[in-house]
Amino acid sequence: MMWPVRGGLMAAAAILAVAVLVVGLAWVFQRRLIYLPDPSPVPRAATVLPGGRDVTLTTADGLKLGAWSFPPTGEPRGVAVLVAGGNGGNRAYRAPLARALTARGMSVLLMDYRGYGGNPGTPTEEGLALDVQAARRHLAGSGERLIYFGESLGAAVVTRLAAAHPPAGLVLRSPFTDLAAAGRIAYPFLPVESLLKDRFPVAATLPAVRAPTVVLYGTRDTIVPAELSRRVAAATPGLVALVEVAGAGHNDAVLLDGPQVIKAVTVLADRADPRTH
């Protein structure tokens, strides 16, 4: 008469053991789920766009990171765009964005984080903060006004940078309020809030950012749902525009170098252009 009870307890114990194992593995390997770099070596900048230069960024913790610098091909505006990519790929994926921006008179720095694009190191929240700081230092001596462009996870990286080093403009493409909110979408079966080592608190950081800001997102984004990006916009003191790209998913080309993306940067470049001040 006791066998059904005993069997039920054993089944419950087995389920609990599996759940504990899954959570434990998620804790140990979480950064492999968050950061998805393409570590392949990238081509030389000059083969990607005319006038491109390979540059080296030196981080505060001593890493040497490869990046690409592109001069304007259109009439120069005196504005430079620092592009911080999302959690996947490498800087070669963002070459179409650089091509479009340089044609409109802006210089562009395409950086790769540690562990991406043949760079040394392993990505973490604090590491990415050091990486983008190194990119800003590289541009600071140019005399150009700076616009930070952050894509998805990169939006979190440049938001933190903007709070410490205000730019002339800030573009947040497909931003999340914090990494846990995005993680709950991808892994609804995990206690994401309790597990995360890297937090990326975008909405909590934005009240300290006073730069003119454009928030841009796609309505069919299943990775960072539109509602998260709208909440980011609501938390942005310097919001200039909230741009909705109808029908666009997170990795669609229209959110890489589509007309609304380029216009968002151009609007801020018009404000930052030193010839108008």
Coordinates of all heavy atoms in Angstrom, one line a residue, residues 45-105:
A45 N 40.9 46.6 -42.3 CA 39.9 47.6 -42.5 C 39.9 48.2 -43.9 O 38.8 48.4 -44.4 CB 40.1 48.7 -41.5
A46 N 41.0 48.3 -44.5 CA 41.1 48.9 -45.8 C 40.5 48.1 -46.9 O 40.1 48.6 -47.9 CB 42.6 49.2 -46.2
T47 N 40.3 46.8 -46.6 CA 39.6 45.9 -47.6 C 38.1 45.9 -47.4 O 37.4 45.4 -48.2 CB 40.1 44.4 -47.5 OG1 39.7 43.9 -46.2 CG2 41.7 44.4 -47.5
V48 N 37.7 46.5 -46.3 CA 36.2 46.5 -46.0 C 35.6 47.8 -46.5 O 34.6 47.8 -47.2 CB 36.0 46.4 -44.5 CG1 34.6 46.6 -44.1 CG2 36.6 45.1 -43.9
L49 N 36.2 49.0 -46.2 CA 35.7 50.2 -46.7 C 37.0 51.1 -47.1 O 38.0 51.0 -46.5 CB 34.9 51.0 -45.7 CG 33.6 50.4 -45.3 CD1 33.0 51.2 -44.1 CD2 32.6 50.4 -46.5
P50 N 36.8 51.9 -48.1 CA 37.9 52.8 -48.5 C 38.4 53.7 -47.4 O 37.6 54.3 -46.7 CB 37.4 53.6 -49.7 CG 36.2 52.8 -50.2 CD 35.7 52.1 -49.0
G51 N 39.7 53.8 -47.2 CA 40.3 54.6 -46.2 C 40.3 54.0 -44.8 O 40.7 54.7 -43.8
G52 N 39.8 52.8 -44.7 CA 39.7 52.2 -43.4 C 41.1 51.9 -42.8 O 42.0 51.6 -43.5
R53 N 41.2 52.1 -41.5 CA 42.5 51.8 -40.8 C 42.3 50.8 -39.6 O 41.3 50.9 -38.9 CB 43.0 53.1 -40.2 CG 43.5 54.2 -41.2 CD 44.2 55.3 -40.5 NE 43.4 56.0 -39.5 CZ 43.5 55.9 -38.2 NH1 44.6 55.3 -37.6 NH2 42.7 56.6 -37.4
D54 N 43.2 49.9 -39.5 CA 43.2 49.0 -38.3 C 43.8 49.8 -37.2 O 44.9 50.3 -37.3 CB 44.0 47.8 -38.6 CG 43.4 46.9 -39.7 OD1 42.3 46.3 -39.5 OD2 43.9 46.9 -40.8
V55 N 43.1 49.8 -36.0 CA 43.7 50.5 -34.9 C 43.7 49.5 -33.7 O 42.9 48.5 -33.7 CB 42.9 51.8 -34.5 CG1 42.9 52.8 -35.7 CG2 41.4 51.4 -34.2
T56 N 44.5 49.8 -32.7 CA 44.5 49.0 -31.5 C 44.1 49.9 -30.3 O 44.6 51.0 -30.1 CB 46.0 48.5 -31.2 OG1 46.4 47.7 -32.4 CG2 46.1 47.7 -30.0
L57 N 43.2 49.3 -29.5 CA 42.7 50.0 -28.3 C 43.3 49.3 -27.1 O 43.3 48.0 -27.1 CB 41.1 49.9 -28.2 CG 40.4 50.2 -29.5 CD1 38.9 50.0 -29.3 CD2 40.6 51.7 -29.8
T58 N 43.8 50.0 -26.2 CA 44.4 49.5 -25.0 C 43.5 49.7 -23.8 O 43.2 50.9 -23.5 CB 45.8 50.1 -24.7 OG1 46.7 49.9 -25.9 CG2 46.5 49.4 -23.5
T59 N 43.1 48.7 -23.2 CA 42.2 48.8 -22.1 C 42.9 49.0 -20.8 O 44.1 48.8 -20.7 CB 41.3 47.5 -21.9 OG1 42.2 46.4 -21.5 CG2 40.6 47.1 -23.2
A60 N 42.2 49.5 -19.7 CA 42.8 49.8 -18.5 C 43.4 48.6 -17.8 O 44.3 48.7 -16.9 CB 41.8 50.5 -17.5
D61 N 42.9 47.4 -18.2 CA 43.5 46.2 -17.6 C 44.5 45.5 -18.5 O 44.9 44.4 -18.4 CB 42.4 45.2 -17.2 CG 41.5 44.7 -18.3 OD1 41.5 45.4 -19.4 OD2 40.8 43.7 -18.1
G62 N 45.0 46.3 -19.5 CA 46.1 45.9 -20.3 C 45.9 45.0 -21.6 O 46.8 44.6 -22.2
L63 N 44.6 44.9 -22.0 CA 44.3 44.1 -23.2 C 44.5 45.0 -24.4 O 44.3 46.2 -24.4 CB 42.9 43.6 -23.2 CG 42.6 42.5 -22.2 CD1 41.2 42.0 -22.4 CD2 43.6 41.3 -22.3
K64 N 45.0 44.4 -25.5 CA 45.1 45.1 -26.8 C 44.0 44.6 -27.7 O 44.0 43.4 -28.1 CB 46.5 44.8 -27.4 CG 47.7 45.1 -26.6 CD 47.8 46.6 -26.4 CE 49.1 47.0 -25.7 NZ 49.3 48.4 -25.5
L65 N 43.1 45.5 -28.0 CA 41.9 45.1 -28.8 C 41.9 45.7 -30.2 O 42.2 46.9 -30.4 CB 40.6 45.5 -28.1 CG 40.4 45.1 -26.6 CD1 39.1 45.7 -26.1 CD2 40.5 43.6 -26.5
G66 N 41.6 44.9 -31.2 CA 41.6 45.3 -32.6 C 40.3 46.1 -32.8 O 39.2 45.7 -32.3
A67 N 40.3 47.1 -33.7 CA 39.1 47.9 -34.0 C 39.4 48.5 -35.4 O 40.5 48.5 -35.9 CB 38.9 49.0 -33.0
W68 N 38.3 49.0 -36.0 CA 38.4 49.6 -37.3 C 38.0 51.1 -37.2 O 37.0 51.4 -36.6 CB 37.5 48.9 -38.4 CG 37.9 47.6 -38.8 CD1 39.1 47.0 -38.7 CD2 37.0 46.5 -39.3 NE1 39.1 45.7 -39.2 CE2 37.8 45.4 -39.6 CE3 35.7 46.5 -39.7 CZ2 37.3 44.3 -40.2 CZ3 35.2 45.4 -40.2 CH2 36.0 44.2 -40.5
S69 N 38.8 51.9 -37.9 CA 38.5 53.4 -37.9 C 38.2 53.7 -39.4 O 39.0 53.4 -40.3 CB 39.6 54.2 -37.4 OG 39.3 55.6 -37.5
F70 N 37.1 54.4 -39.7 CA 36.7 54.8 -41.0 C 36.5 56.3 -41.1 O 35.7 56.8 -40.3 CB 35.5 54.0 -41.5 CG 35.6 52.5 -41.5 CD1 34.9 51.8 -40.6 CD2 36.4 51.9 -42.5 CE1 35.1 50.4 -40.6 CE2 36.5 50.5 -42.5 CZ 35.8 49.8 -41.5
P71 N 37.1 56.9 -42.1 CA 36.9 58.4 -42.2 C 35.6 58.6 -43.0 O 35.1 57.8 -43.7 CB 38.1 58.8 -43.1 CG 38.4 57.6 -43.9 CD 38.1 56.4 -43.1
P72 N 35.1 59.9 -42.9 CA 33.9 60.2 -43.7 C 34.2 60.2 -45.2 O 35.3 60.6 -45.6 CB 33.5 61.6 -43.2 CG 34.7 62.1 -42.6 CD 35.5 61.0 -42.1
T73 N 33.2 59.7 -46.0 CA 33.4 59.8 -47.4 C 32.5 60.9 -48.0 O 32.7 61.3 -49.1 CB 33.0 58.4 -48.1 OG1 31.7 58.1 -47.7 CG2 33.9 57.3 -47.7
G74 N 31.5 61.3 -47.2 CA 30.7 62.4 -47.5 C 31.3 63.7 -46.9 O 32.4 63.6 -46.3
E75 N 30.7 64.8 -47.1 CA 31.2 66.1 -46.5 C 31.4 65.9 -45.0 O 30.4 65.6 -44.3 CB 30.3 67.2 -46.9 CG 30.8 68.6 -46.3 CD 29.9 69.7 -46.7 OE1 28.9 69.5 -47.3 OE2 30.2 70.9 -46.2
P76 N 32.6 66.1 -44.5 CA 32.8 65.9 -43.1 C 32.0 66.8 -42.2 O 31.8 68.0 -42.4 CB 34.3 66.2 -42.9 CG 34.9 66.0 -44.3 CD 33.8 66.5 -45.2
R77 N 31.4 66.2 -41.1 CA 30.6 66.9 -40.2 C 31.3 67.3 -38.9 O 30.8 68.0 -38.1 CB 29.4 66.1 -39.8 CG 28.4 65.8 -40.8 CD 27.4 64.8 -40.3 NE 26.2 64.6 -41.2 CZ 25.1 65.2 -41.1 NH1 24.9 66.2 -40.1 NH2 24.1 65.0 -41.9
G78 N 32.5 66.7 -38.7 CA 33.2 66.9 -37.4 C 32.6 66.0 -36.3 O 32.6 66.4 -35.1
V79 N 31.9 64.9 -36.7 CA 31.2 64.0 -35.7 C 31.8 62.6 -35.9 O 31.9 62.2 -37.1 CB 29.7 64.1 -36.0 CG1 29.0 63.0 -35.1 CG2 29.2 65.5 -35.7
A80 N 32.1 62.0 -34.8 CA 32.5 60.6 -34.9 C 31.5 59.7 -34.1 O 31.0 60.1 -33.1 CB 33.9 60.4 -34.2
V81 N 31.2 58.5 -34.7 CA 30.3 57.6 -34.1 C 31.0 56.4 -33.6 O 31.7 55.7 -34.3 CB 29.2 57.1 -35.1 CG1 28.2 56.2 -34.4 CG2 28.5 58.3 -35.7
L82 N 30.9 56.1 -32.3 CA 31.4 54.9 -31.6 C 30.4 53.9 -31.6 O 29.3 54.0 -31.0 CB 31.9 55.3 -30.2 CG 32.7 54.2 -29.4 CD1 33.2 54.9 -28.1 CD2 32.0 53.0 -29.1
V83 N 30.6 52.8 -32.3 CA 29.6 51.7 -32.5 C 30.0 50.5 -31.6 O 31.0 49.9 -31.7 CB 29.5 51.2 -33.9 CG1 28.5 50.0 -34.0 CG2 29.1 52.3 -34.9
A84 N 29.1 50.2 -30.6 CA 29.2 49.1 -29.7 C 28.2 48.0 -30.1 O 27.0 48.3 -30.0 CB 29.0 49.5 -28.3
G85 N 28.6 46.9 -30.6 CA 27.8 45.9 -31.1 C 27.0 45.1 -30.0 O 27.2 45.4 -28.8
G86 N 26.1 44.2 -30.5 CA 25.4 43.4 -29.5 C 26.2 42.2 -29.0 O 27.5 42.3 -29.1
N87 N 25.5 41.2 -28.6 CA 26.3 40.1 -27.9 C 26.8 39.1 -28.9 O 27.5 38.1 -28.5 CB 25.4 39.4 -26.9 CG 24.2 38.6 -27.6 OD1 23.7 39.0 -28.6 ND2 23.8 37.5 -27.0
G88 N 26.5 39.2 -30.2 CA 26.9 38.2 -31.2 C 27.8 38.8 -32.3 O 27.8 40.0 -32.5
G89 N 28.4 37.9 -33.0 CA 29.2 38.3 -34.2 C 30.5 38.9 -33.9 O 31.2 38.7 -32.8
N90 N 30.9 39.8 -34.8 CA 32.1 40.7 -34.6 C 31.9 41.9 -35.4 O 30.9 42.1 -36.0 CB 33.4 39.9 -34.9 CG 33.4 39.4 -36.3 OD1 33.0 40.1 -37.3 ND2 34.0 38.2 -36.5
R91 N 32.9 42.8 -35.5 CA 32.7 44.1 -36.1 C 32.5 44.0 -37.6 O 31.9 44.9 -38.2 CB 33.9 45.0 -35.9 CG 35.3 44.5 -36.4 CD 36.4 45.4 -35.8 NE 37.7 45.1 -36.2 CZ 38.5 44.2 -35.6 NH1 38.0 43.5 -34.6 NH2 39.8 44.1 -36.0
A92 N 32.9 42.9 -38.3 CA 32.6 42.8 -39.7 C 31.1 42.8 -40.0 O 30.7 43.2 -41.0 CB 33.3 41.5 -40.2
Y93 N 30.3 42.3 -39.0 CA 28.9 42.3 -39.2 C 28.3 43.7 -39.3 O 27.2 43.9 -39.8 CB 28.2 41.5 -38.0 CG 28.5 40.1 -37.9 CD1 29.8 39.5 -38.0 CD2 27.4 39.2 -37.8 CE1 30.0 38.2 -37.9 CE2 27.6 37.8 -37.7 CZ 29.0 37.3 -37.7 OH 29.2 36.0 -37.6
R94 N 29.0 44.7 -38.7 CA 28.5 46.0 -38.7 C 29.1 46.9 -39.8 O 28.8 48.2 -39.8 CB 28.8 46.7 -37.3 CG 27.8 46.2 -36.2 CD 28.4 45.0 -35.4 NE 27.3 44.4 -34.6 CZ 27.5 43.2 -34.0 NH1 28.7 42.7 -33.9 NH2 26.5 42.7 -33.3
A95 N 29.8 46.4 -40.7 CA 30.4 47.2 -41.8 C 29.3 47.9 -42.6 O 29.6 49.1 -43.0 CB 31.2 46.3 -42.7
P96 N 28.1 47.3 -42.9 CA 27.1 48.1 -43.6 C 26.7 49.4 -42.9 O 26.4 50.4 -43.5 CB 26.0 47.1 -43.8 CG 26.6 45.8 -43.7 CD 27.7 45.9 -42.7
L97 N 26.6 49.3 -41.6 CA 26.3 50.5 -40.8 C 27.4 51.6 -41.0 O 27.1 52.8 -41.2 CB 26.2 50.2 -39.3 CG 25.9 51.3 -38.4 CD1 24.6 52.1 -38.7 CD2 25.9 50.8 -36.9
A98 N 28.7 51.2 -40.9 CA 29.8 52.1 -41.1 C 29.7 52.7 -42.5 O 30.0 53.9 -42.6 CB 31.1 51.4 -40.8
R99 N 29.4 51.9 -43.5 CA 29.4 52.4 -44.8 C 28.3 53.5 -45.0 O 28.6 54.6 -45.6 CB 29.1 51.3 -45.8 CG 29.0 51.7 -47.3 CD 28.7 50.6 -48.2 NE 29.8 49.6 -48.2 CZ 29.7 48.4 -47.6 NH1 28.6 48.0 -47.0 NH2 30.7 47.6 -47.7
A100 N 27.2 53.3 -44.4 CA 26.1 54.3 -44.5 C 26.4 55.6 -43.7 O 26.1 56.7 -44.2 CB 24.8 53.7 -44.0
L101 N 27.0 55.4 -42.6 CA 27.3 56.6 -41.8 C 28.4 57.5 -42.3 O 28.4 58.7 -42.3 CB 27.6 56.2 -40.3 CG 26.5 55.5 -39.5 CD1 26.9 55.2 -38.1 CD2 25.2 56.4 -39.5
T102 N 29.5 56.8 -42.8 CA 30.6 57.6 -43.4 C 30.1 58.3 -44.7 O 30.6 59.4 -44.9 CB 31.8 56.7 -43.7 OG1 31.3 55.6 -44.6 CG2 32.4 56.1 -42.5
A103 N 29.2 57.7 -45.4 CA 28.6 58.4 -46.6 C 27.9 59.7 -46.2 O 27.7 60.6 -47.1 CB 27.7 57.5 -47.4
R104 N 27.5 59.8 -45.0 CA 26.8 61.0 -44.5 C 27.7 61.9 -43.7 O 27.2 62.7 -42.9 CB 25.5 60.6 -43.7 CG 24.4 60.0 -44.6 CD 23.5 59.1 -43.9 NE 22.4 58.7 -44.9 CZ 22.6 57.7 -45.7 NH1 23.7 57.0 -45.8 NH2 21.6 57.3 -46.5
G105 N 29.0 61.7 -43.9 CA 29.9 62.7 -43.3 C 30.4 62.4 -41.9 O 31.1 63.3 -41.4

